[in-house]
Each structure stands twice: as C-alpha cells, then as structure tokens.
Amino acid sequence: MSVNKVTTLAEAVQGLVNDHDTVALGGILSREPVACSYELIRQNKKELTLIVDSHDESVELLIGAGLVKKVESAYVWVGVIGSGLNFRRAVEKGLPKHIEVEDYTNLAIGMRFLAGALGVPFLPVMSMSGSDIPKYNDKIISMADPYKGQPVNLVPAAEPDVAFIHVQRADKMGNAQIWGMLANDVNIARAAKKLIITCEEIIPTSEIRKIPNMTQIPHYCVDAVVELPFGAHPLGVAGYYWLDTPFRRDWLKASKTQEGFDAWVEEWVLSWDKFEEYLQKLGSDRLAKLRKLERDNYQIPRIENY
Amino acid sequence: MSVNKVTTLAEAVQGLVNDHDTVALGGILSREPVACSYELIRQNKKELTLIVDSHDESVELLIGAGLVKKVESAYVWVGVIGSGLNFRRAVEKGLPKHIEVEDYTNLAIGMRFLAGALGVPFLPVMSMSGSDIPKYNDKIISMADPYKGQPVNLVPAAEPDVAFIHVQRADKMGNAQIWGMLANDVNIARAAKKLIITCEEIIPTSEIRKIPNMTQIPHYCVDAVVELPFGAHPLGVAGYYWLDTPFRRDWLKASKTQEGFDAWVEEWVLSWDKFEEYLQKLGSDRLAKLRKLERDNYQIPRIENY
Amino acid sequence: MNYTTQEFMVSACSRLIKDNECVFIGVGIPLLAGVVASKIHAPNSVLIYEAGGIGAISRRLPWSISDNATTDNALVATELWRVLGDVQRGYIDVAVIGGAQIDKFGNLNTTAIIGAGKTYQRPTTRLPGSGGANDLASSAKRVLIVMRLEKRKFVEKLDYITSPGYIAGPGDREKAGLRGGGPETVITNKCIFRFDPLTKEMYLDELFPGVTVDEVKAAVEWDLKVGSNLKQVEPPTEGEVEIMHRIDPLGVVLGSKSKQENQSFEEYYKIMKECYESMALLI
Amino acid sequence: MNYTTQEFMVSACSRLIKDNECVFIGVGIPLLAGVVASKIHAPNSVLIYEAGGIGAISRRLPWSISDNATTDNALVATELWRVLGDVQRGYIDVAVIGGAQIDKFGNLNTTAIIGAGKTYQRPTTRLPGSGGANDLASSAKRVLIVMRLEKRKFVEKLDYITSPGYIAGPGDREKAGLRGGGPETVITNKCIFRFDPLTKEMYLDELFPGVTVDEVKAAVEWDLKVGSNLKQVEPPTEGEVEIMHRIDPLGVVLGSKSKQENQSFEEYYKIMKECYESMALLI
C-alpha cells in the first residue's frame, strides 16, 4: 500500500484548482490553511466561491486579494483581535470587488459538509427558525417534518470542487491524523471533489498504524499531500506552534486600507519564490519561540505500542 | 470535576430500565454488552423493543429469553459460526413468543442513531430504493429531494429509552474512550435518553486528559458507569480479549431447541449471584488465554505525554 | 476597593453559572467568568468550546473558540458539528453569547447593520455573522447575553435577526420549534436586564453601583420597564478578582486594548510565558 | 494437482480485485480472496470492513466484519455509519456480498423465505436481514456476489428483494437513483455468471473444470442463457493456494465445518496461536 501523493503546494494548486471553483478551507483559527491562501493569491485563482464555517486570515486574505466572488459562511472575522476589515470593505464598499454573501450558522454549515460527506442532497437542522437567516437565503428550505410535524430547516449538501486542510501529520498516501479540535475537517475531506492535505510532518505509514483511531481522513479522500511546516502561520497548530499575535496585529493594521493590504501582500506573499523564504523572513528565533509557547503547554503524545 | 456515576450493573438496570422500554445496544460482535443482556434476563425486563444495527449474542439472548416484543434491525445472526436460532424460532414459530420485525440496512440504522444524536426528527439515505425494505416498513418515507429531485428515503430518529455500551475505558464521570472499531456507539450514546456505560477498566480522569481526541462519549451523555471486566464474553474487546469460539459454539448448540436454550440460561445466567461467579465458572486459565490471544496481537498503546 | 467594569461584568456573569452545568462559552468576558465560577462556586461545571474542546484546563487564555488552548488537558477533543449537534440535542445547560444589536425580546443581530437605502448584500456595516450563536440561542437550555450598553445597540427594531430571543413575544419560540429556553439575563457594563416571564420583555433588574435608571433608559431605544424590586449588582469579591487577574495577567480581557497595540514579538513572548506560568500555579 | 471448490472460489474471486482498489469485504471466502489479491497482483488494494476497520494487516483471520482483528495494524479505525457513508459517497470501488436467493437480474434476498400462506412477519424461514449488503449493492462502484449454486437459490422470483441488482431490468437502477454500478459477477462453486450489458440478465460465462452446462441449468429456475464464448475458470495457482492456507491454517473457510464441531477450548487456543504465528511469517 504505497501510492505516493506527495507534491509541492504550487503544483497541487496549479493542477487541482481552477478559476470559478468552489473552495472549502479546514481548521478554524487553529490549522487554518493560511499558506494555501498565499499560494492561491500567488497563482491568482479567480472568481472563487468559498464555503466556510468560521474563518479568520485564510478567508480574509483571499477576499482582500480580490479572488472571491461569493462567501457561503457562518462567520468571517479576525478572532478577538479585530474586525474582518477586508470582508467588510468588500461587502460594504465593493473593494477590491464586491462579494456576494450567503449566511448560515456554524451548525448549518457543519450539516452542509456532513451532507456532502454522506453523499445525500440535504440534511435538516432545528436552528435558524425564528431568525432572518432563511429569509435572506433561498437555499434554506423550511418544512414540517413528516414524522412529528416539527418545523425543520433543510440545508443543501456542500460539494466543494476543492478543499484545503492543514493537519499535524499525514503519510504519503494521505492518511491524516489531526490532534486537538477537529472543526468540520472530517466531513470537509469527504465532501470535497478534490482534497489537498498540507501537513506539519509527513510520517511513515507504520506510525499511522500505531493508532488508527486517530486517522480522521482516509487516504481515499486525498488527492495531494504537501509537507508544509508552519503552514498555518500566523495562526496556530496544536502541538506545533502558538498564535503569532504581533504578526496578526501588523497585517490587520495594514488591512485598514486596500492600499495597505495590497502593500502587505506584496511584501509577505508575492516577494518570495518558496514558502521557506517566508519562514526565513520571519526568522528562526521567532519560529522557535512560537513552537516553545505551544510545546511548553501541549505536545502530541508519544504513542508506544507494546 | 468529579461527579461520580459508578454503580453496579444490577443497580443500573434496576434504576434505569423499565418494562416496555426501547433499548439500544452498542458494539458489533466486538464489545457487544453481553453481560448487560444477562442482567436484563436476570431482572426479567419485559416487552422490550430493540433498535440494533447488526448484532449477535447480545440480541439473541434477549429474544430467546422472551424479553423482546419487537426488533428494529439490519441484521440479527451469530456471525460466521451459525444461524440466529432464537431469532428464527421467535419470528417463524412464535417461540418463546412472537417478535415483530422491522427491517433496515446498516446505514439506515446508523442514520437513525445519528438523527437521534443530533436531535433532528429524520435523516435521508440513498440506500433501500429498488428493494422491498421500504415496502414492508411504513417508517421509511420515500421522497424526491427538493434540491435536485433525486429519490431519497427518510428514516426516523432512534430515541431509545436506554442504551448499553461496553467500552475499554471510562472515568467515573463517564467519559469513555473506545479503541478499534466504533460501530455506531458515538451516536447511540447521544441518541439514548439514558445511557449505561460498562467498561473493562475505570481509569482516572487524568488518563482521559492525556488523549482527549480518543474520548468518543462525553460524560454528559452518561447516567451510570459500571466496571465490568470481560463484560462482552464470549465476544471480544480490542486490546482486552479475543472471541471464545468454543463457548459460542456450545451455547449455539444448546439453542437448537427452546428447552436447550432455557437450560443453558439456567446454567450460565441464572445460577450465579454476581458476574464474578460467572467468570469463576469459566476459570481464570481460560480467561487468561483469551486475553493472551488478543494481546499477542493488539494492545491499547501506551500514551506518553512529554 | 475599586473595581473596573470588566471585573464587574466577569463577576456578575460568573455567578450565573451553576455547579454541574455544561457551559458553552465564548472568549473574552464569558471565558473568564467560566473559569472564575469553576474555581469558586461551580467546581463541577464543564466549559465547552464550539470547535470541539470540552472540559479543557488551559494554562493559556484562549483567544478564540478554536485555538490550541481550547483542548489543552481536555476531557474531549472532537468536531464542531458534533459539539453543536450536542447543543441541538439538548445537552448544554447554559450558553453565553454576545451581539452588536439587541431588541426588547432579546433577539440579537450580529450579521449586518443594513442602514437606510442599503441592502443585506450591500449594508452600511457588515458584521461577522452568526457563527454558532444562532444554534446556541435556539437550543441551549439557558442563554446569557453579554454586551456593552451603548447607543444604537439596544434598539426598537433589529436590522436583521441573527439569533432568536423571544422573537415577537410569548409563544413564538414554541411556534418556531425552538427547544432552548431563550435568553435569561443580559449582562452589560452598567446594569443587568432580565425578561418578564409573561410578556417576555426585557426589563432592568440590577444596577451597577453609581449608575442611574435614567442613564440606562437613555441608552435603550424602547420604553424600558424597570423591575419592581430593582437591585444593585453585588461587587466582585477579592477572591474573584484575584483569580481573573491570574488568568489574564496581560490584560487581554481585563486590561486596555491600546496597551497591547504596539507590543513587539519579544514582549508578546515574555507576557505569554508569564501567563501560562501564572496559570500553572492555579491548577 | 487437485483443488477444492473453496480454493477455486477464493482464487476466482481474488482475480476480480484490481490493484489500487478500495475493497469492501465480507468474511469467509471474500476475505481470503482479498488477502490473496493483496499478496499477489493487487499490492495497493485496501480492505475495508463495515464496522470501522480500514486497511488492517491482521495476523488473525477475522471472523466477522467487526471483530478485533478488523482493526489490527489498520490505517483507520472509525465508525460504521462513517464507513457506509463513504460507500454512499462513492469512495468504494468494489464490494463482495452474498445472498440466500438471487434472481436473474442479480437482486438478492437475505431477509426471509416467506413461503406459501406465510407473511413477512411470520415467514417460513427468517434470514438475518440486509446488514450493510443493501447499502453496498446500492452504492459500490462494482459488486461481486459469492454464493453456492444450489436448488432454490437461483430463483425466478425472490420472496423479498433485500439488495438491488438491476431490479426489473435496464434503466431501473437509474430510476431508483442508485449510484453504484450494480452486480458485475456471480462466483459460485460450479461456475461464474456475468450480466448482459444490454438486457442486464445473468448469463453463464465460465465453468469450473468438470462441470457441464446442463448441470448448471438444472440448478437455475429461469431459462439461463449461456455466453457465446463460454470459458473455463482458470484453476488456482500454487502460490494462491499456499497463501490462502497460511491465512487459514485451521480451515475455518477452506476446511470442513465438522472438523471444528467438537473442538475443546485447549485445541482452539492452540490452533488460534498457530494461526497468528503462521500469518506473522507472511507479513
């Protein structure tokens, strides 16, 4: 069992992502595929529709760079440290271009991914009744359930053309083990037509077999595997590194104007040829400290078979 | 965080199970709650409706003992070693009493538990179209999905009054960690109104915290925790013991007639006061060998935090 | 002894959490409130984060509902849809949420301030959206709301109902099939509101020391009713304040925002280390 | 060299499994076939068990789709609904199932032989039910069926359709919304059947050595068509037979059932130990 799906991020994006694609992103704050957003910007993939639950930088960057046509989401913002300035500018002012919004709740987006993962056309949720969410979203169908007559809201399956999920560990086949919170990644992996896994470390399949209960994404969902340490920076990865808040604050400050954001993208996304150069620009001391802030608190446990 | 739910199986069954209850059982072959079935027989809980995916001894015993009014299931049999003789006798001949059947597929039963776990009244499946399963089962509602017009079959949520799940390890609060195949247990735990966890070992909560990703059942679903080593005998538990096939063959032979089964129940279920006596009757050498057959092949890994 | 409004809010919120409750928590003031409750009067309460962390004992102040700290030493680390499914199923006792706008029935808007002549697709101010707030408002047994009492926040009519309170009045939640109990308390920086059991209308129930009824009324757009037994919010105890500062020594929630504005990476690193070392003493 | 029919069936089934396929497997002959395939011509195939085990490398012959051996050294250990959800989603290439009755369109009955004057609720012979077979028959890309060619098994009309083949003929699967490709091959102890691409009717395609067309026709209730290019099943190779016996040294699948009837616990223990020691050599 040795089909090798290892490639580079540039090649994976080039080969598997098209303009006008519907794109899903894994993680939430932790493990958001920020480096994948950088690469989408570098390759200028256009007119994307995003389907996301609650996302921070990974979505803000794509919107600010003008790649996004529409966002189907529950929440787009920048955590506790500030507003989603690019999101606001695009929706309110049409800068750099207007994006269409389609609102859901986190559970409703979760059910959309679960429906996609199960291969069923829809799933019901009890949320959203009595709110204005269905009023502004034609895809939510309210009905009385045929068993007890309760009001339920149907949401359609999410079937993204491509998904990016950043994990701690995967093998070359694509079997991926995620530690800490899982967000909606187990379902996103299955709902997507094509799946790009980026990971902090590629590990031997024999390591996967030590604890198969931790494999949340089976290889048969996966199209490409990319080893990409610090692929979620400036966000965190459980067991690997903590949030780089000063970096986040700086790009958020830059995002106050479109010009500021454009300059920031020029400096931090377009100025390098390989992601390693981005990491060099940050400096090994800074990366080591982010790692220490995490590992003093949590490390992935060592799994010892007898 | 120290609410202690530890009790004995006799007390849990006495306090939480009523005649006429709908009952769900965890595991499939591995981890079936056989000792719980013994206890239900000992306390003669009557007119039960069972909701199960694919079950062996745990269901056969209850049917043979005449406790069951109805079975909602995908599969009732005794694995590769023989037929479901008690099931057949009850359905075909009404011995010891007739049981009503309601057929589903494994995925459909899985979706019934998932619906119950999510608190939604139904879920759709693509299976069962073109078969006779919906023809004989009024609870399956066929419809065209309102998004793409595809034929789908709705199945109603399973909301059992009580469920029994046998796991490897749990803490006193009820946080349960299951290793190996999970069957539908993660959903059954949430779908049930009351949940009795039996386990091979009660472990400290600090051990649970070493690897929270392995906690499939959170304490808030759990009403009682019972430490019950060999609680799945003669079936197996991953990392603890292997199948006792000769024992299974013997009870299957006994089940060839109702009288034979009744005598077997007298000897193996009603003749003792405590489950420990059942284990003594089997003998410590036999139990040690069942353990060795398992542990030479698989042991739950040791989790080492740094 | 002097208290800041943040300390008052954390303390007031923490006292509404009962022992043995499953507490679905947002970051900021609710998080501090949850930790204070668990260290003082609710030792068996369990904090639950939306993205999958249940029962964490973090040594770092979580910055979101999904960062690494939300599963540190947790009881369970699982999936977002699974945790919100558990909310929908009815396992969660109390949820603490916030909002940008609220009306007298406790409905919340966190989606958009649409504004005159504007539309949902092109509003005056776009907000983040529901996140999980609508799911919690729909299905949690009890809902606590934390938000600042400011002009244009306590409004006659919401631009957009993101999360349902009592919708348009008594019976509406039941008609909509919502299983949760609806909003119970609104904790602000000036007072505490509760809801009339019959009319479901929000009324002023407790004032912070030094705040007047008129001051509150001036910030509320509708004709606010005042409880017949208007109380004063009990100030935080020294024990509560000590715990909250040990958890947040860098003042992320308790301190001023500007203090952190120009922090260098080195300063950030040092403060984060101090933070988890200080919290380690508490565990 | 002499071969048993079991060896023939395992070999014939194994050759239908292609490299790189995700193979959804039942116990008994399909399991041995899967392991033989993975050791000979399909090293990158992955065996998937219904209750949650994916890609196990067991040293013990699994006795069911859910016993401990199904997750030994596995790639993934997960939930039943999740694995069958993956089938429904279309991730599974080939499924191997069995049945008690089959009709000419490859529909299978594993629920009940109802019998004259009897009902579904009180049939002549109750069978186990679908298990996951209907789900696989509905959604797997390719379906292989393994069953013995015996009287009253290959029938004109099923008492109950548990798992759909081509239902009542061409176009019916599409009408029912089934996404899987439907049955491809039926492997028996006497011959191999396939399905006409136009009529969807089962026809005789390959005979085991020494078996006549008439013998097969006599066991089939409908007017069986014979393929224009009737072939003979290639016998197992020595390599295949060696591997299947190393996996099943106690003859659970390959040997006679009666051999194990009165086995003592001590004998069982000894044979099980030999079994996994023998398989260890193979890995």
Side-chain angles (χ1 to χ4, degrees):
Chain A
M1 287 187 261
S2 57
V3 173
N4 188 338
K5 296 173 187 162
V6 176
T7 181
T8 64
L9 183 56
E11 276 169 16
V13 169
Q14 199 149 36
L16 298 171
V17 188
N18 297 306
D19 289 351
H20 301 279
D21 270 0
T22 299
V23 178
L25 303 169
I28 295 186
L29 200 82
S30 279
R31 297 189 299 93
E32 278 186 38
V34 180
C36 296
S37 293
Y38 292 160
E39 189 59 35
L40 287 167
I41 294 171
R42 292 166 56 81
Q43 295 195 22
N44 195 27
K45 297 289 180 183
K46 288 183 294 287
E47 298 291 312
L48 306 178
T49 294
L50 305 183
I51 309 183
V52 289
D53 30 46
S54 290
H55 276 66
D56 302 81
E57 272 84 339
S58 61
V59 164
E60 270 284 300
L61 290 168
L62 297 177
I63 293 172
L67 306 190
V68 181
K69 181 175 67 181
K70 183 179 180 185
V71 179
E72 305 177 16
S73 64
Y75 188 96
V76 177
W77 218 240
V78 189
V80 283
I81 68 162
S83 305
L85 295 172
N86 290 346
F87 179 53
R88 286 192 57 184
R89 193 156 47 231
V91 178
E92 296 167 10
K93 302 200 170 66
L95 289 174
K97 54 177 285 179
H98 187 256
I99 57 171
E100 189 185 340
V101 291
E102 190 176 287
D103 276 280
Y104 295 88
T105 70
N106 267 345
L107 180 59
I109 290 279
M111 290 299 106
R112 292 193 62 195
F113 285 126
L114 179 56
L118 288 170
V120 294
F122 64 85
L123 284 179
V125 290
M126 310 305 285
S127 301
M128 304 193 291
S129 294
S131 81
D132 286 338
I133 299 176
K135 190 167 121 186
Y136 290 96
N137 184 336
D138 291 344
K139 287 200 203 147
I140 300 167
I141 298 177
S142 302
M143 67 178 273
D145 98 72
Y147 292 95
K148 301 175 184 171
Q150 295 172 290
V152 298
N153 292 301
L154 306 186
V155 291
E159 296 164 326
D161 295 305
V162 61
F164 294 89
I165 300 179
H166 187 70
V167 307
Q168 283 94 350
R169 295 173 179 185
D171 69 7
K172 291 179 181 177
M173 299 167 71
N175 294 293
Q177 298 192 329
I178 307 176
W179 298 78
M181 69 92 213
L182 304 178
N184 282 310
D185 295 353
V186 178
N187 291 326
I188 292 172
R190 289 161 159 94
K193 291 178 193 136
K194 288 168 287 180
L195 175 60
I196 298 167
I197 292 286
T198 61
C199 62
E200 291 295 320
E201 289 183 88
I202 290 177
I203 58 173
T205 299
S206 56
E207 284 295 308
I208 296 283
R209 292 190 192 278
K210 279 186 176 177
I211 187 160
N213 279 107
M214 283 301 300
T215 309
Q216 289 94 358
I217 301 175
H219 61 94
Y220 51 70
C221 303
V222 179
D223 294 277
V225 178
V226 179
E227 192 169 46
L228 202 66
F230 286 99
H233 178 273
L235 303 176
V237 172
Y240 285 81
Y241 42 93
W242 179 246
L243 296 165
D244 189 343
T245 306
F247 187 95
R248 302 185 72 200
R249 213 174 266 128
D250 288 348
W251 92 256
L252 201 63
K253 254 183 243 164
S255 303
K256 279 181 182 156
T257 63
Q258 184 65 41
E259 296 69 34
F261 177 77
D262 291 344
W264 186 92
V265 166
E266 195 61 50
E267 179 179 358
W268 284 100
V269 183
L270 302 177
S271 70
W272 39 270
D273 287 322
K274 295 190 164 191
F275 187 63
E276 287 76 15
E277 296 166 47
Y278 169 89
L279 297 181
Q280 278 159 20
K281 197 167 152 70
L282 289 167
S284 57
D285 177 65
R286 184 177 189 127
L287 298 177
K289 282 179 171 148
L290 291 172
R291 182 146 286 172
K292 184 168 168 56
L293 284 178
E294 177 62 16
R295 293 203 166 157
D296 281 355
N297 286 281
Y298 173 69
Q299 295 198 33
I300 289 177
R302 197 169 44 231
I303 310 301
E304 297 285 356
N305 289 145
Y306 292 86
Chain B
M1 286 185 260
S2 58
V3 173
N4 188 338
K5 296 173 188 162
V6 176
T7 182
T8 64
L9 184 56
E11 277 169 15
V13 169
Q14 200 148 36
L16 298 171
V17 187
N18 296 306
D19 290 350
H20 301 279
D21 270 0
T22 298
V23 179
L25 303 170
I28 295 186
L29 198 82
S30 280
R31 295 190 299 94
E32 278 185 38
V34 180
C36 296
S37 293
Y38 293 161
E39 190 59 35
L40 287 167
I41 294 171
R42 292 166 56 81
Q43 295 195 25
N44 195 28
K45 297 290 182 184
K46 288 185 297 286
E47 298 290 313
L48 305 177
T49 294
L50 305 182
I51 310 184
V52 289
D53 31 46
S54 290
H55 276 65
D56 302 81
E57 272 85 339
S58 61
V59 164
E60 270 283 300
L61 291 167
L62 297 176
I63 293 173
L67 307 191
V68 181
K69 182 175 67 178
K70 183 177 179 185
V71 178
E72 305 177 14
S73 64
Y75 188 96
V76 177
W77 217 241
V78 190
V80 284
I81 69 162
S83 304
L85 296 171
N86 291 347
F87 179 53
R88 286 191 56 183
R89 193 155 48 231
V91 178
E92 295 166 11
K93 301 198 171 64
L95 288 173
K97 55 176 282 177
H98 186 256
I99 57 171
E100 189 185 339
V101 291
E102 191 174 288
D103 276 282
Y104 295 89
T105 70
N106 267 345
L107 180 59
I109 290 279
M111 291 299 106
R112 293 194 61 197
F113 285 126
L114 180 56
L118 288 169
V120 295
F122 64 84
L123 285 179
V125 289
M126 310 306 285
S127 300
M128 305 193 291
S129 294
S131 81
D132 285 338
I133 299 176
K135 189 166 121 187
Y136 290 95
N137 184 336
D138 290 344
K139 288 200 203 147
I140 300 166
I141 298 177
S142 301
M143 66 177 273
D145 97 72
Y147 292 94
K148 300 176 183 170
Q150 295 173 289
V152 298
N153 292 301
L154 306 186
V155 292
E159 294 163 328
D161 295 305
V162 61
F164 294 90
I165 299 179
H166 186 71
V167 307
Q168 283 94 350
R169 297 172 177 184
D171 69 8
K172 292 177 181 177
M173 300 167 69
N175 294 294
Q177 299 192 328
I178 307 176
W179 297 79
M181 69 93 213
L182 304 178
N184 281 309
D185 295 353
V186 179
N187 291 326
I188 292 171
R190 289 161 160 94
K193 290 177 193 137
K194 289 168 286 180
L195 175 60
I196 297 168
I197 292 285
T198 62
C199 62
E200 290 295 321
E201 291 183 86
I202 290 177
I203 58 172
T205 298
S206 57
E207 284 295 307
I208 297 282
R209 291 189 192 277
K210 278 186 176 178
I211 187 160
N213 279 107
M214 283 300 301
T215 309
Q216 289 92 0
I217 302 175
H219 61 95
Y220 51 70
C221 303
V222 179
D223 295 278
V225 178
V226 180
E227 192 170 46
L228 203 66
F230 287 99
H233 178 272
L235 303 177
V237 172
Y240 284 82
Y241 42 93
W242 179 246
L243 297 165
D244 189 344
T245 305
F247 187 95
R248 302 184 73 198
R249 212 174 266 131
D250 288 348
W251 94 256
L252 201 62
K253 255 183 241 164
S255 302
K256 280 182 182 155
T257 63
Q258 185 65 41
E259 297 69 32
F261 177 76
D262 291 344
W264 186 90
V265 166
E266 197 59 51
E267 179 180 356
W268 284 99
V269 183
L270 302 177
S271 71
W272 40 270
D273 286 322
K274 294 191 163 190
F275 188 63
E276 288 74 18
E277 296 165 47
Y278 168 90
L279 297 181
Q280 278 158 21
K281 197 167 152 69
L282 289 168
S284 58
D285 177 64
R286 184 178 188 126
L287 298 177
K289 282 179 171 149
L290 292 172
R291 183 146 285 174
K292 184 169 167 56
L293 285 178
E294 178 62 14
R295 292 199 166 161
D296 280 356
N297 286 281
Y298 173 68
Q299 296 196 34
I300 289 177
R302 197 168 48 231
I303 310 301
E304 298 284 356
N305 288 145
Y306 291 87
Chain C
M1 191 169 169
N2 265 338
Y3 304 100
T4 65
T5 50
Q6 284 99 325
E7 289 162 358
F8 246 106
M9 289 173 85
V10 170
S11 153
C13 185
S14 86
R15 292 171 189 179
L16 298 171
I17 294 167
K18 301 170 190 163
D19 201 13
N20 294 310
E21 285 193 319
C22 289
V23 188
F24 207 104
I25 211 111
V27 287
I29 286 171
L31 174 84
L32 288 191
V35 179
V36 168
S38 74
K39 300 295 175 199
I40 296 198
H41 63 279
N44 303 307
S45 59
V46 173
L47 303 186
I48 299 177
Y49 296 100
E50 198 164 338
I54 299 173
I57 306 180
S58 315
R59 300 194 299 149
R60 302 171 282 186
L61 187 75
W63 292 59
S64 84
I65 51 91
S66 56
D67 69 35
N68 305 356
T70 60
T71 54
D72 282 355
N73 291 300
L75 295 171
V76 186
T78 182
E79 303 176 67
L80 180 141
W81 68 272
R82 182 60 87 179
V83 171
L84 285 174
D86 287 355
V87 174
Q88 186 170 256
R89 170 67 178 76
Y91 283 119
I92 304 309
D93 299 300
V94 57
V96 194
I97 61 180
Q101 282 186 329
I102 189 167
D103 68 17
K104 68 177 168 188
F105 292 118
N107 304 301
L108 289 167
N109 178 12
T110 53
T111 303
I113 313 292
I114 295 181
K118 295 285 200 161
T119 64
Y120 163 70
Q121 286 294 345
R122 290 179 189 265
T124 305
T125 308
R126 173 67 208 198
L127 302 166
S130 159
N134 172 289
D135 305 308
L136 293 161
S138 297
S139 301
K141 287 182 199 156
R142 302 163 54 218
V143 175
L144 311 179
I145 297 168
V146 177
M147 57 190 284
R148 296 184 72 82
L149 182 68
E150 287 166 5
K151 273 280 185 195
R152 290 187 299 276
K153 281 177 157 269
F154 286 68
V155 298
E156 186 64 44
K157 191 177 165 12
L158 298 181
D159 287 49
Y160 182 107
I161 301 183
T162 309
S163 301
Y166 296 103
I167 313 177
D172 272 14
R173 286 185 66 88
E174 294 73 10
K175 236 180 290 167
L178 303 179
R179 292 163 183 166
E184 188 187 82
T185 308
V186 182
I187 301 133
T188 77
N189 53 323
K190 303 214 161 176
C191 61
I192 291 176
F193 300 100
R194 289 196 165 77
F195 293 84
D196 184 287
L198 289 179
T199 64
K200 302 298 185 190
E201 199 179 309
M202 196 192 299
Y203 67 90
L204 177 60
D205 196 41
E206 299 184 50
L207 282 172
F208 277 32
V211 178
T212 67
V213 171
D214 285 348
E215 200 181 332
V216 172
K217 281 195 163 199
V220 172
E221 281 188 10
W222 68 88
D223 183 17
L224 180 72
K225 299 204 173 56
V226 179
S228 53
N229 176 27
L230 187 63
K231 297 175 285 285
Q232 191 162 300
V233 178
E234 283 293 317
T237 66
E238 280 186 43
E240 287 170 345
V241 172
E242 194 217 321
I243 287 168
M244 55 185 100
H245 280 277
R246 280 175 83 156
I247 296 160
D248 185 21
L250 57 170
V252 169
V253 178
L254 297 170
S256 78
K257 221 173 175 176
S258 61
K259 225 171 92 181
Q260 304 150 49
E261 268 306 294
N262 293 301
Q263 219 169 56
S264 70
F265 183 82
E266 289 307 320
E267 285 164 337
Y268 168 72
Y269 177 69
K270 191 167 157 287
I271 294 170
M272 277 304 303
K273 275 203 73 175
E274 277 169 21
C275 171
Y276 67 71
E277 281 157 9
S278 158
M279 284 186 73
L281 299 173
L282 202 72
I283 293 171
Chain D
M1 191 168 169
N2 265 339
Y3 302 101
T4 66
T5 49
Q6 284 98 324
E7 288 162 358
F8 245 106
M9 289 172 85
V10 170
S11 151
C13 185
S14 85
R15 292 171 190 179
L16 298 171
I17 294 167
K18 301 170 189 163
D19 200 13
N20 294 310
E21 284 193 320
C22 289
V23 188
F24 207 102
I25 211 112
V27 286
I29 286 172
L31 174 83
L32 288 191
V35 179
V36 169
S38 75
K39 299 297 175 198
I40 296 198
H41 63 278
N44 302 308
S45 59
V46 173
L47 303 186
I48 300 177
Y49 297 101
E50 198 164 338
I54 298 173
I57 305 180
S58 316
R59 297 195 300 150
R60 302 171 282 186
L61 188 74
W63 294 58
S64 84
I65 50 92
S66 56
D67 69 34
N68 304 356
T70 60
T71 54
D72 282 356
N73 291 301
L75 295 170
V76 187
T78 182
E79 303 177 68
L80 181 141
W81 69 272
R82 183 59 87 180
V83 171
L84 285 174
D86 286 354
V87 174
Q88 186 170 256
R89 170 68 178 76
Y91 283 119
I92 305 309
D93 298 301
V94 57
V96 193
I97 61 179
Q101 283 186 328
I102 190 167
D103 68 16
K104 67 178 169 189
F105 291 117
N107 303 301
L108 289 167
N109 178 10
T110 53
T111 301
I113 313 291
I114 296 180
K118 296 284 200 162
T119 65
Y120 162 69
Q121 285 294 344
R122 290 179 190 265
T124 304
T125 307
R126 173 67 209 200
L127 301 166
S130 158
N134 172 289
D135 305 309
L136 293 162
S138 298
S139 301
K141 286 183 200 157
R142 301 165 52 218
V143 174
L144 311 179
I145 298 168
V146 177
M147 58 190 285
R148 297 183 71 82
L149 182 68
E150 287 165 7
K151 274 276 182 198
R152 291 185 300 277
K153 280 178 158 266
F154 286 68
V155 299
E156 185 65 44
K157 191 177 163 14
L158 298 181
D159 287 48
Y160 182 108
I161 300 182
T162 309
S163 301
Y166 296 103
I167 313 176
D172 272 14
R173 287 184 66 88
E174 293 73 10
K175 236 180 288 165
L178 303 179
R179 291 164 184 166
E184 188 188 82
T185 309
V186 183
I187 300 135
T188 77
N189 52 325
K190 303 213 160 176
C191 61
I192 290 175
F193 300 102
R194 289 197 165 78
F195 294 84
D196 184 286
L198 289 179
T199 65
K200 301 298 183 188
E201 199 179 308
M202 195 193 299
Y203 67 89
L204 177 60
D205 196 40
E206 298 184 50
L207 283 171
F208 277 32
V211 177
T212 66
V213 171
D214 284 347
E215 199 181 335
V216 172
K217 281 195 161 200
V220 172
E221 280 188 13
W222 68 87
D223 183 18
L224 180 72
K225 298 204 172 58
V226 178
S228 54
N229 176 27
L230 186 63
K231 297 175 284 283
Q232 191 160 301
V233 178
E234 282 293 318
T237 66
E238 280 186 43
E240 286 170 346
V241 172
E242 195 217 319
I243 286 168
M244 54 184 101
H245 281 277
R246 281 175 83 155
I247 296 158
D248 185 20
L250 58 170
V252 169
V253 178
L254 297 171
S256 78
K257 224 173 174 178
S258 62
K259 223 171 93 182
Q260 303 151 50
E261 268 307 294
N262 293 302
Q263 217 170 58
S264 71
F265 183 82
E266 288 307 322
E267 285 164 335
Y268 168 72
Y269 177 69
K270 192 167 156 285
I271 295 170
M272 277 303 303
K273 276 203 70 176
E274 278 169 21
C275 171
Y276 66 68
E277 281 158 9
S278 156
M279 284 184 74
L281 299 173
L282 202 72
I283 292 169

